Structures are given as C-alpha cells and as structure tokens.
Amino acid sequence: MSEVRDDILLQVKDLKTYFPIKGGMLQRATSYVKAVDGVTFSIKRGTTMGLVGESGCGKTTVGRTILRLTEKTSGEVRFGGQDIYALNRDALRHLRPKMQIIFQDPYSSLSPRLPVGEIIGEAVREHHIVPEKEYDAYLDKIMASCGLMTYHKDRYPHEFSGGQRQRICIARALALNPDFVVCDEPVSALDVSIQAQIINLLKDLQQEYGLTYLFISHDLSVVEHISDTIGVMYLGNLVEYGPKASIFSNPLHPYTQALFSAIPMPDPDAKMNRTILEGSIPSPANPPKGCKFHTRCNRCMPRCTTEEPVQCEVEKGHHVVCHLYNP
C-alpha cells in the first residue's frame, strides 16, 4: 500500500471477494464466484466517488466489503490510515459509527415494528454519540437536516412515501456522525422528481458535515451530477478510473464508451452513435481468460484473449485497464 496521506480518507488496494460454490456430499467448495477480483482506488476526504457498471459487476460487493459487512478474500482496505481488517472486535465496533451505508431499498431496510424516532436513534444510544439529556434535541436536529418533522418520530415506516423513507435511511446514517457513507443506489427505487430531491439533499449534507461518499449507481446522469471521481466496473474489475471531467469528456475503455453511448439525448433529432455490446456478461464463476471484456469487445485483439491487461495512467489521474493503451 502506498504511503498514508492526510487528504485521502479511504484506500483500497487489490481487493478481492470470492464466494464459494459448494457441491458434493461433503459440500466442499468446488469453485468460486469472483464478485470482486482485484480492485484498487482511493477517495479524498469530502469528495464523492461514483461507481458504475452493469448489474452483477460487483459494485455493491465492493461497498459491503469496505464496511466489513462482507469479508474480503484478499487485499487491503485502509480507512484514515487504519487497516480495518487488522482491527479486533472492540476496535472495529469503535470505528463502526464513522462508516455508514444507505441501502438501495427504503422499504425493506427499515424495521416495520419500530417508530421512526427509534429507528434513527437506536444506534445513537448504543454508541453513546451524545449524552442522554441531549438525545431528543440531537434527534430533532438530524431529522430537520434530512427534511423530516419532529412529529414523524412517533410514526411507522409504512406511513411514509418512498422518498420520505429514504430520508429516514439517510437520517439513520447521519445520526452516527460518520465520515464516510456508502450510498448503494439510494435513488434507483424512487421517481425521477424525488431522485433529484434526494441527490440535492446528499450534496447539501456533504457540504454541511464534510462527508465522503462512495456512490454506487446505474444512472450515469446521476453519477455525473454528484461525483468528483468515477470508477467503471466490469465483471469484478475496475476497468477505468479518474476525475469526472476526464471520464465524461474522454472515455477510453471500450466498455465505458459503450455505457456512455447509451445515455439518452434530450434532443429527439440528435443522432446517437450507439455502441451495441454483443452477447451477455460471462459468469463471474468462470470468467474468460485474458481481458474479461474481450468476448463482447468490438476492438478485440489476439493478445486480449490470452493476456490480462494492466492498469496504466493515460492522463493525470485517469487510469484505464486495456491493451489499447498498454502496447
């Protein structure tokens, strides 16, 4: 791992997360699903990294592995210079409030048996975030920051709309005074008008509380609006990574170019040079040899089928994993 820098909050190096496929009478592992297969990136304090890619490419597993909700197979995750996988149970419990997650589905991620005040405040009490006498005032402040009213504390999740439920999820994460939040497709289940409200709320909270986000999404327009840097994942690997301006103005990897060509144009008369990807995503349990994308790439070369590409820096901070840029 490179040296620790004060401006870098999260560093991930060669992260791998494999899930065993068991078979036979003894249920032994016969092979592995390589959900995350060697991912490296870093996020500066107070910024947002957008993580995009097709369903099943490993985006959510990256977020869960960083938070130790899923255990890694190998690699390093450093938060504020600390290797979180080297921490014992007590040290990890002390760190937990600083690393939070907002789940994709605001319907299933809230307990239907608890009122909103208890949902938001349960972990605040457990981790002793504020003294007991300040508890109610603290909850009111957090709820107000997220666009919720104080009388909402006594209501239950089924009494709220999808957008309001996601505000409750955001308040629950914010209540622990975190430094880093994984936003796992937090607006994908919402209407477009509500999506804009939630995205603007996340940006306002980031400015107010100095938060750092890993924003996972399928929607490139949403990612462009909220992100400072962008990573593009394909079949467990980060194929392109760099500043937002560089990625959107000059996408380098053929997969990134195909994703961007699918963005709808607001002008119905504008010509779209759509790149159609042939075939379907290979199985992460049996990925192709060489470059994993070569089975769908229209610029595939003979070496792509046998030789695995390495990451190279084409522009300052703009990295790509492709043989086209690594002769």
Side-chain angles (χ1 to χ4, degrees):
M1 176 64 70
S2 58
E3 62 176 325
V4 176
R5 288 169 44 186
D6 290 339
D7 62 329
I8 300 293
L9 180 65
L10 182 76
Q11 291 176 292
V12 177
K13 183 177 181 182
D14 199 25
L15 184 65
K16 296 181 180 181
T17 307
Y18 296 171
F19 299 104
I21 300 174
K22 297 180 180 180
M25 291 184 65
L26 299 178
Q27 288 294 296
R28 290 175 175 168
T30 56
S31 61
Y32 291 88
V33 174
K34 298 179 178 179
V36 180
D37 194 19
V39 168
T40 300
F41 62 86
S42 60
I43 308 179
K44 289 185 177 181
R45 292 179 185 274
T47 66
T48 300
M49 175 179 165
L51 196 58
V52 300
E54 294 170 288
S55 294
C57 70
K59 305 185 301 295
T60 295
T61 306
V62 168
R64 293 179 66 88
T65 306
I66 288 171
L67 299 179
R68 283 193 69 173
L69 299 178
T70 299
E71 290 294 303
K72 68 169 186 175
T73 301
S74 65
E76 286 186 65
V77 179
R78 290 188 178 273
F79 178 78
Q82 285 184 299
D83 184 351
I84 68 165
Y85 278 89
L87 300 177
N88 60 31
R89 184 176 178 179
D90 290 340
L92 182 61
R93 186 180 185 280
H94 181 72
L95 184 66
R96 282 286 185 206
K98 295 298 179 183
M99 305 173 71
Q100 291 297 303
I101 184 169
I102 300 167
F103 293 101
Q104 177 179 1
D105 186 1
Y107 293 87
S108 61
S109 60
L110 298 174
S111 172
R113 297 179 177 86
L114 295 178
V116 167
E118 191 64 25
I119 289 172
I120 297 172
E122 184 178 24
V124 174
R125 279 202 174 104
E126 180 67 25
H127 289 279
H128 309 291
I129 302 298
V130 292
E132 187 64 32
K133 62 182 180 181
E134 299 175 18
Y135 174 79
D136 287 329
Y138 180 74
L139 235 58
D140 292 346
K141 177 192 171 189
I142 294 297
M143 292 179 68
S145 295
C146 297
L148 298 167
M149 303 299 171
T150 54
Y151 58 80
H152 287 154
K153 283 192 288 190
D154 299 322
R155 294 186 179 179
Y156 288 83
H158 72 270
E159 299 179 68
F160 295 89
S161 66
Q164 287 175 313
R165 290 188 195 197
Q166 199 60 288
R167 289 176 185 271
I168 296 168
C169 295
I170 293 170
R172 179 176 59 184
L174 187 66
L176 290 172
N177 193 25
D179 293 326
F180 174 67
V181 181
V182 174
C183 304
D184 185 11
E185 302 192 42
V187 297
S188 63
L190 307 176
D191 293 337
V192 175
S193 60
I194 306 301
Q195 285 185 15
Q197 294 177 21
I198 298 299
I199 292 298
N200 289 332
L201 172 62
L202 289 171
K203 292 188 74 173
D204 291 342
L205 293 174
Q206 184 174 43
Q207 290 186 349
E208 185 177 352
Y209 293 96
L211 300 173
T212 304
Y213 293 143
L214 174 64
F215 192 91
I216 299 167
S217 180
H218 289 96
D219 193 330
L220 288 166
S221 59
V222 170
V223 168
E224 183 181 17
H225 184 66
I226 197 171
S227 301
D228 299 291
T229 58
I230 292 175
V232 182
M233 282 194 72
Y234 181 79
L235 209 63
N237 293 111
L238 205 60
V239 297
E240 191 164 354
Y241 167 68
K244 174 179 66 176
S246 297
I247 297 286
F248 272 85
S249 64
N250 185 29
L252 299 174
H253 198 280
Y255 178 64
T256 310
Q257 293 169 357
L259 285 182
F260 282 24
S261 74
I263 299 175
M265 299 288 289
D267 184 358
D269 298 322
K271 270 194 172 184
M272 292 183 63
N273 296 319
R274 182 77 187 275
T275 302
I276 305 297
L277 295 179
E278 301 292 335
S280 56
I281 304 177
S283 168
N286 186 27
K289 292 182 179 178
C291 174
K292 292 181 180 179
F293 186 61
H294 83 260
T295 58
R296 306 173 71 193
C297 182
N298 58 9
R299 301 175 70 182
C300 178
M301 301 179 290
R303 67 185 293 198
C304 300
T305 61
T306 57
E307 186 181 336
E308 194 172 324
V310 296
Q311 188 180 90
C312 59
E313 188 174 18
V314 179
E315 304 171 322
K316 185 177 180 182
H318 191 167
H319 302 266
V320 65
V321 182
C322 182
H323 287 306
L324 292 170
Y325 307 96
N326 189 22

